[in-house]
Amino acid sequence: AKDKGPISYEVFQGSMAEQSTQKIHLIAELNAAIEKNEFRVYFQPVVRLSDSKVIGAEALVRWQSGQRGLVAPGVFIPLAEESGLILPIGHWVLRESCRQIAERLKNGWASDFDVHVNVSVRQLIQSDFYQKLEAILQEFSLSPHNLTLEITESILIEDSNVIATLISRIRLLGVSIAIDDFGTGYSSMSYLHQFAFDCLKIDQSFVSRFLDNHKSEAIVSAIIRLAGGFDVPLVAEGVETLEQAQRLHELGCQRAQGYYFGRPAPLEEWPEGWCGSGQS
Ligand code: C2E
Ligand code: CA
Ligand code: CA
Ligand code: CA
């Protein structure tokens, strides 16, 4: 795929010593990339399954590296988390996503368009995160109702009381919280008790095999009913075929995201029909 740089395969091979040297180099490059403004935000459409209408988007970061080409986040986000560079990168992604979407909203996009931004728990627990979030919304006059923060449940574990409090404050501001990759953590269910949330996202590992595996279908359909019980929308990720989309809709899933509907792309490359001006 065009968003997988060759780096994914060449990095972190060889001996331990070579690997750590490679890591140090990559961290230095990432640092320089921030200075050189080499990060880009791609947006993947989120659709309503009843009519395939685009109702929002997930912001996904890319690194447009001079030497390496377009680098996928799977390669550098874990290293950014480890090194702390996720803080400046994550802040940039949040601000840039809000800037771009606010501009589109001013130009006639549907006023309930929902942009989802991934937020690392490391970012979330910074004492000034809330303040920065508020400042960004203000700077671009973006309504908090247009913004959802996606948090991955596997790392929600840190200190659940602290995180629950942070999440409540953010929700009071009007910003929504989505639990990302739902079903992959080992104690998924306990999170549903501990944290208030506005949206669940089923991990693509279930979606990719639920048509030919009745166990996966049982899990998907249970998660769909679970979301219904909490009265929150559910987004199925990684939908690649019409058959998957149809079956998910039959099972009661309302929203989906995946290559079948559209790949992540810069907003300038979004086709006219995705932009959601004019509601139905
Ligand atoms: P994620 O949040 O689970 O994002 C969904 C990933 O699935 C994206 O990969 C997306 O391109 C990919 N995807 C979407 N539809 C399909 C499909 O139909 N089939 C398949 N096979 N894949 C699909 P991407 O963009 O490479 O991002 C990977 C991960 O990197 C994300 O997983 C997220 O955890 C992380 N990430 C991306 N951007 C950010 C960011 O700005 N901040 C943080 N903290 N993490 C980010
Ligand atoms: Ca996500
Ligand atoms: Ca996800
Ligand atoms: Ca994921």
Short mmCIF file of all heavy atoms in Angstrom, two decimals, residues 181-185 202-221 223 236-241 243-245 247-248 251:
data_model
loop_
_atom_site.label_atom_id
_atom_site.label_comp_id
_atom_site.label_asym_id
_atom_site.label_seq_id
_atom_site.Cartn_x
_atom_site.Cartn_y
_atom_site.Cartn_z
N ASP A 181 -10.03 0.20 19.32
CA ASP A 181 -9.58 -1.20 19.33
C ASP A 181 -10.30 -2.03 20.37
O ASP A 181 -9.71 -2.91 21.01
CB ASP A 181 -8.06 -1.29 19.60
CG ASP A 181 -7.25 -0.56 18.55
OD1 ASP A 181 -7.78 -0.28 17.46
OD2 ASP A 181 -6.07 -0.27 18.82
N PHE A 182 -11.60 -1.75 20.56
CA PHE A 182 -12.32 -2.44 21.62
C PHE A 182 -12.32 -3.94 21.40
O PHE A 182 -12.52 -4.43 20.29
CB PHE A 182 -13.77 -1.93 21.73
CG PHE A 182 -14.50 -2.55 22.89
CD1 PHE A 182 -14.22 -2.14 24.19
CD2 PHE A 182 -15.40 -3.58 22.68
CE1 PHE A 182 -14.85 -2.75 25.27
CE2 PHE A 182 -16.03 -4.20 23.77
CZ PHE A 182 -15.76 -3.78 25.05
N GLY A 183 -12.10 -4.66 22.49
CA GLY A 183 -12.12 -6.11 22.41
C GLY A 183 -10.72 -6.72 22.40
O GLY A 183 -10.57 -7.92 22.58
N THR A 184 -9.69 -5.89 22.21
CA THR A 184 -8.34 -6.45 22.15
C THR A 184 -7.65 -6.48 23.51
O THR A 184 -6.74 -7.23 23.73
CB THR A 184 -7.43 -5.68 21.17
OG1 THR A 184 -7.38 -4.32 21.59
CG2 THR A 184 -7.95 -5.76 19.75
N GLY A 185 -8.08 -5.64 24.43
CA GLY A 185 -7.43 -5.63 25.75
C GLY A 185 -7.89 -6.84 26.55
O GLY A 185 -8.91 -7.44 26.25
N ILE A 202 -14.82 -1.23 17.20
CA ILE A 202 -14.43 -2.66 17.22
C ILE A 202 -13.16 -2.80 16.43
O ILE A 202 -13.06 -2.34 15.29
CB ILE A 202 -15.41 -3.61 16.48
CG1 ILE A 202 -16.84 -3.35 16.80
CG2 ILE A 202 -15.02 -5.07 16.74
CD1 ILE A 202 -17.75 -4.41 16.16
N ASP A 203 -12.23 -3.51 16.97
CA ASP A 203 -10.95 -3.69 16.31
C ASP A 203 -11.10 -4.45 14.99
O ASP A 203 -11.92 -5.34 14.84
CB ASP A 203 -10.00 -4.46 17.22
CG ASP A 203 -8.58 -4.40 16.70
OD1 ASP A 203 -8.04 -3.28 16.62
OD2 ASP A 203 -8.03 -5.46 16.34
N GLN A 204 -10.26 -4.07 14.04
CA GLN A 204 -10.34 -4.68 12.71
C GLN A 204 -9.99 -6.17 12.70
O GLN A 204 -10.37 -6.88 11.78
CB GLN A 204 -9.50 -3.91 11.69
CG GLN A 204 -8.04 -3.81 12.02
CD GLN A 204 -7.35 -2.84 11.08
OE1 GLN A 204 -7.75 -1.69 10.92
NE2 GLN A 204 -6.30 -3.31 10.44
N SER A 205 -9.31 -6.64 13.72
CA SER A 205 -8.98 -8.07 13.76
C SER A 205 -10.25 -8.93 13.83
O SER A 205 -10.27 -10.05 13.33
CB SER A 205 -8.05 -8.39 14.93
OG SER A 205 -8.65 -8.01 16.15
N PHE A 206 -11.31 -8.40 14.45
CA PHE A 206 -12.58 -9.15 14.48
C PHE A 206 -13.31 -9.03 13.15
O PHE A 206 -13.86 -9.99 12.63
CB PHE A 206 -13.49 -8.65 15.60
CG PHE A 206 -12.87 -8.78 16.97
CD1 PHE A 206 -12.57 -7.65 17.71
CD2 PHE A 206 -12.57 -10.03 17.48
CE1 PHE A 206 -11.99 -7.77 18.96
CE2 PHE A 206 -11.98 -10.15 18.74
CZ PHE A 206 -11.68 -9.02 19.48
N VAL A 207 -13.29 -7.79 12.61
CA VAL A 207 -14.03 -7.52 11.38
C VAL A 207 -13.43 -8.31 10.22
O VAL A 207 -14.16 -8.85 9.38
CB VAL A 207 -14.01 -6.00 11.08
CG1 VAL A 207 -14.64 -5.71 9.72
CG2 VAL A 207 -14.72 -5.23 12.19
N SER A 208 -12.10 -8.42 10.18
CA SER A 208 -11.46 -9.04 9.02
C SER A 208 -11.83 -10.52 8.88
O SER A 208 -11.75 -11.07 7.80
CB SER A 208 -9.95 -8.87 9.09
OG SER A 208 -9.44 -9.55 10.21
N ARG A 209 -12.23 -11.18 9.96
CA ARG A 209 -12.51 -12.61 9.80
C ARG A 209 -13.92 -13.01 10.22
O ARG A 209 -14.22 -14.19 10.29
CB ARG A 209 -11.47 -13.44 10.54
CG ARG A 209 -11.20 -12.98 11.94
CD ARG A 209 -10.19 -13.86 12.65
NE ARG A 209 -10.21 -13.44 14.05
CZ ARG A 209 -9.13 -13.17 14.75
NH1 ARG A 209 -7.95 -13.31 14.24
NH2 ARG A 209 -9.25 -12.79 16.01
N PHE A 210 -14.80 -12.03 10.49
CA PHE A 210 -16.08 -12.45 11.08
C PHE A 210 -17.02 -13.13 10.09
O PHE A 210 -17.92 -13.84 10.49
CB PHE A 210 -16.77 -11.28 11.81
CG PHE A 210 -17.64 -10.41 10.96
CD1 PHE A 210 -19.01 -10.46 11.10
CD2 PHE A 210 -17.10 -9.53 10.05
CE1 PHE A 210 -19.83 -9.66 10.32
CE2 PHE A 210 -17.90 -8.72 9.28
CZ PHE A 210 -19.27 -8.79 9.41
N LEU A 211 -16.78 -12.94 8.77
CA LEU A 211 -17.67 -13.58 7.80
C LEU A 211 -17.46 -15.08 7.71
O LEU A 211 -18.39 -15.84 7.47
CB LEU A 211 -17.50 -12.96 6.41
CG LEU A 211 -18.17 -11.61 6.20
CD1 LEU A 211 -17.98 -11.16 4.77
CD2 LEU A 211 -19.64 -11.64 6.59
N ASP A 212 -16.20 -15.52 7.88
CA ASP A 212 -15.98 -16.96 7.73
C ASP A 212 -15.61 -17.65 9.04
O ASP A 212 -15.18 -18.78 9.06
CB ASP A 212 -14.94 -17.26 6.65
CG ASP A 212 -13.87 -16.20 6.58
OD1 ASP A 212 -13.30 -15.85 7.63
OD2 ASP A 212 -13.64 -15.69 5.47
N ASN A 213 -15.80 -16.94 10.14
CA ASN A 213 -15.46 -17.55 11.42
C ASN A 213 -16.59 -17.26 12.39
O ASN A 213 -16.83 -16.11 12.76
CB ASN A 213 -14.14 -16.94 11.90
CG ASN A 213 -13.70 -17.49 13.23
OD1 ASN A 213 -14.52 -17.66 14.15
ND2 ASN A 213 -12.43 -17.77 13.35
N HIS A 214 -17.33 -18.30 12.77
CA HIS A 214 -18.53 -18.01 13.56
C HIS A 214 -18.20 -17.52 14.96
O HIS A 214 -18.98 -16.84 15.59
CB HIS A 214 -19.51 -19.19 13.57
CG HIS A 214 -19.05 -20.35 14.38
ND1 HIS A 214 -18.24 -21.34 13.87
CD2 HIS A 214 -19.28 -20.67 15.67
CE1 HIS A 214 -17.99 -22.23 14.82
NE2 HIS A 214 -18.61 -21.85 15.93
N LYS A 215 -16.99 -17.81 15.46
CA LYS A 215 -16.60 -17.26 16.76
C LYS A 215 -16.45 -15.75 16.67
O LYS A 215 -16.92 -15.00 17.52
CB LYS A 215 -15.29 -17.88 17.25
CG LYS A 215 -15.44 -19.32 17.69
CD LYS A 215 -14.11 -19.83 18.23
CE LYS A 215 -14.19 -21.32 18.49
NZ LYS A 215 -12.83 -21.88 18.67
N SER A 216 -15.75 -15.30 15.58
CA SER A 216 -15.59 -13.85 15.40
C SER A 216 -16.94 -13.18 15.20
O SER A 216 -17.17 -12.08 15.70
CB SER A 216 -14.70 -13.54 14.20
OG SER A 216 -13.40 -13.98 14.46
N GLU A 217 -17.83 -13.86 14.48
CA GLU A 217 -19.15 -13.25 14.29
C GLU A 217 -19.88 -13.12 15.62
O GLU A 217 -20.55 -12.11 15.89
CB GLU A 217 -20.02 -14.02 13.28
CG GLU A 217 -21.43 -13.41 13.29
CD GLU A 217 -22.34 -13.76 12.15
OE1 GLU A 217 -21.87 -13.79 11.00
OE2 GLU A 217 -23.53 -13.98 12.41
N ALA A 218 -19.74 -14.13 16.48
CA ALA A 218 -20.38 -14.06 17.80
C ALA A 218 -19.83 -12.88 18.60
O ALA A 218 -20.57 -12.16 19.26
CB ALA A 218 -20.17 -15.37 18.56
N ILE A 219 -18.51 -12.65 18.49
CA ILE A 219 -17.89 -11.54 19.23
C ILE A 219 -18.39 -10.21 18.68
O ILE A 219 -18.82 -9.33 19.42
CB ILE A 219 -16.34 -11.61 19.14
CG1 ILE A 219 -15.84 -12.86 19.88
CG2 ILE A 219 -15.70 -10.35 19.71
CD1 ILE A 219 -14.36 -13.17 19.69
N VAL A 220 -18.37 -10.10 17.33
CA VAL A 220 -18.82 -8.85 16.71
C VAL A 220 -20.27 -8.57 17.09
O VAL A 220 -20.62 -7.46 17.49
CB VAL A 220 -18.65 -8.90 15.16
CG1 VAL A 220 -19.38 -7.75 14.48
CG2 VAL A 220 -17.17 -8.88 14.80
N SER A 221 -21.11 -9.59 17.02
CA SER A 221 -22.51 -9.31 17.29
C SER A 221 -22.74 -9.01 18.77
O SER A 221 -23.58 -8.18 19.12
CB SER A 221 -23.40 -10.40 16.70
OG SER A 221 -23.82 -11.30 17.66
N ILE A 223 -20.54 -7.41 20.67
CA ILE A 223 -20.07 -6.03 20.88
C ILE A 223 -21.10 -5.03 20.34
O ILE A 223 -21.33 -3.99 20.94
CB ILE A 223 -18.66 -5.81 20.25
CG1 ILE A 223 -17.62 -6.68 20.97
CG2 ILE A 223 -18.26 -4.34 20.34
CD1 ILE A 223 -16.22 -6.63 20.36
N ALA A 236 -17.27 0.04 13.22
CA ALA A 236 -16.51 -1.16 12.86
C ALA A 236 -15.33 -0.71 11.99
O ALA A 236 -15.51 -0.01 11.00
CB ALA A 236 -17.38 -2.14 12.09
N GLU A 237 -14.14 -1.10 12.38
CA GLU A 237 -12.93 -0.70 11.65
C GLU A 237 -12.49 -1.78 10.67
O GLU A 237 -12.78 -2.95 10.88
CB GLU A 237 -11.76 -0.52 12.61
CG GLU A 237 -11.94 0.51 13.66
CD GLU A 237 -10.63 0.68 14.43
OE1 GLU A 237 -10.02 -0.31 14.85
OE2 GLU A 237 -10.25 1.83 14.58
N GLY A 238 -11.77 -1.38 9.66
CA GLY A 238 -11.16 -2.35 8.75
C GLY A 238 -12.14 -3.05 7.83
O GLY A 238 -11.93 -4.20 7.44
N VAL A 239 -13.24 -2.37 7.47
CA VAL A 239 -14.22 -2.96 6.55
C VAL A 239 -13.66 -2.86 5.13
O VAL A 239 -13.41 -1.77 4.62
CB VAL A 239 -15.58 -2.24 6.65
CG1 VAL A 239 -16.55 -2.78 5.62
CG2 VAL A 239 -16.14 -2.39 8.06
N GLU A 240 -13.42 -4.01 4.52
CA GLU A 240 -12.77 -4.03 3.21
C GLU A 240 -13.69 -4.48 2.09
O GLU A 240 -13.33 -4.35 0.92
CB GLU A 240 -11.51 -4.91 3.26
CG GLU A 240 -10.44 -4.32 4.19
CD GLU A 240 -9.13 -5.10 4.17
OE1 GLU A 240 -9.08 -6.20 3.61
OE2 GLU A 240 -8.15 -4.57 4.72
N THR A 241 -14.83 -5.08 2.41
CA THR A 241 -15.71 -5.58 1.35
C THR A 241 -17.17 -5.19 1.59
O THR A 241 -17.58 -4.91 2.72
CB THR A 241 -15.67 -7.14 1.28
OG1 THR A 241 -16.24 -7.67 2.48
CG2 THR A 241 -14.26 -7.66 1.10
N GLU A 243 -19.64 -7.23 1.37
CA GLU A 243 -20.25 -8.30 2.18
C GLU A 243 -20.10 -8.00 3.66
O GLU A 243 -21.03 -8.16 4.44
CB GLU A 243 -19.61 -9.66 1.85
CG GLU A 243 -19.94 -10.21 0.46
CD GLU A 243 -19.28 -9.42 -0.69
OE1 GLU A 243 -18.20 -8.80 -0.49
OE2 GLU A 243 -19.86 -9.40 -1.79
N GLN A 244 -18.89 -7.56 4.05
CA GLN A 244 -18.67 -7.23 5.47
C GLN A 244 -19.58 -6.08 5.88
O GLN A 244 -20.21 -6.13 6.94
CB GLN A 244 -17.20 -6.83 5.71
CG GLN A 244 -16.23 -8.00 5.63
CD GLN A 244 -14.78 -7.53 5.64
OE1 GLN A 244 -14.47 -6.36 5.37
NE2 GLN A 244 -13.88 -8.45 5.93
N ALA A 245 -19.66 -5.06 5.03
CA ALA A 245 -20.49 -3.89 5.37
C ALA A 245 -21.95 -4.29 5.52
O ALA A 245 -22.62 -3.89 6.48
CB ALA A 245 -20.33 -2.82 4.28
N ARG A 247 -23.25 -7.29 6.18
CA ARG A 247 -23.48 -8.17 7.34
C ARG A 247 -23.43 -7.35 8.64
O ARG A 247 -24.25 -7.57 9.54
CB ARG A 247 -22.43 -9.29 7.35
CG ARG A 247 -22.66 -10.33 8.41
CD ARG A 247 -23.86 -11.24 8.08
NE ARG A 247 -24.17 -12.11 9.21
CZ ARG A 247 -25.34 -12.15 9.84
NH1 ARG A 247 -26.34 -11.36 9.45
NH2 ARG A 247 -25.53 -12.97 10.85
N LEU A 248 -22.49 -6.42 8.73
CA LEU A 248 -22.41 -5.57 9.92
C LEU A 248 -23.69 -4.78 10.11
O LEU A 248 -24.22 -4.66 11.21
CB LEU A 248 -21.22 -4.60 9.81
CG LEU A 248 -19.84 -5.21 10.04
CD1 LEU A 248 -18.75 -4.30 9.49
CD2 LEU A 248 -19.61 -5.49 11.53
N LEU A 251 -26.42 -6.94 11.38
CA LEU A 251 -26.25 -7.26 12.80
C LEU A 251 -26.56 -6.06 13.70
O LEU A 251 -26.58 -6.18 14.92
CB LEU A 251 -24.82 -7.75 13.07
CG LEU A 251 -24.45 -9.12 12.50
CD1 LEU A 251 -22.96 -9.39 12.67
CD2 LEU A 251 -25.26 -10.22 13.17
#
